[in-house]
Amino acid sequence: MNEANTRGQGDRFCIAAGAGLLALAILLGAFAAHALKARLTPIELGWWQTAVQYQLANAIGVLALASLGTGRMAPRLIVAGSVLFSGSLYFMALTGLNAAGLVTPLGGLLMIVGWSLIAWSAVRRG
């Protein structure tokens, strides 16, 4: 497979994953504001809000990566990290199972590695 085809697949992944994460973050943010506000504690709402904020930021970032042709590994790490990070916080907020928080740092690490790969790639191309 040539580089143009690989780049196109990476771009499609970035657009699909970024748009999906973005739509879901908006939905989950609205869900919390309207359906969960009275049911969750302030701490749980804070977890939910943090999850939505990180998911939104990464979704927008992944969408932006589609225009840069950044390859496939870094966006996939960022998306996986966002799912693990935000997903674990959503799960904790809904269930009260704080043990799910053990997954949160792994998600954060994947996001950091993914964005660091993007930065490294930009410096290398310099």
Side-chain angles (χ1 to χ4, degrees):
M1 186 175 290
N2 67 32
E3 184 178 331
N5 286 341
T6 302
R7 184 173 297 150
Q9 289 175 352
D11 295 348
R12 284 192 302 271
F13 172 81
C14 288
I15 293 167
L21 284 173
L22 194 56
L24 186 59
I26 293 167
L27 174 75
L28 292 172
F31 179 65
H34 298 288
L36 295 179
K37 195 172 186 179
R39 295 180 178 173
L40 298 180
T41 68
I43 290 173
E44 292 165 341
L45 279 173
W47 293 336
W48 196 277
Q49 183 177 21
T50 298
V52 169
Q53 288 174 341
Y54 274 75
Q55 186 173 338
L56 283 170
N58 282 291
I60 292 166
V62 169
L63 279 171
L65 292 176
S67 67
L68 300 175
T70 57
R72 298 159 88 182
M73 177 60 78
R76 282 172 169 68
L77 289 172
I78 295 163
V79 169
S82 184
V83 168
L84 288 175
F85 181 89
S86 295
S88 64
L89 291 177
Y90 295 136
F91 185 79
M92 278 181 18
L94 290 175
T95 66
L97 296 174
N98 291 353
L102 295 172
V103 175
T104 310
L106 176 59
L109 180 62
L110 290 174
M111 290 186 290
I112 292 166
V113 170
W115 287 114
S116 296
L117 286 173
I118 298 295
W120 176 251
S121 176
V123 168
R124 220 179 61 211
R125 289 184 205 170

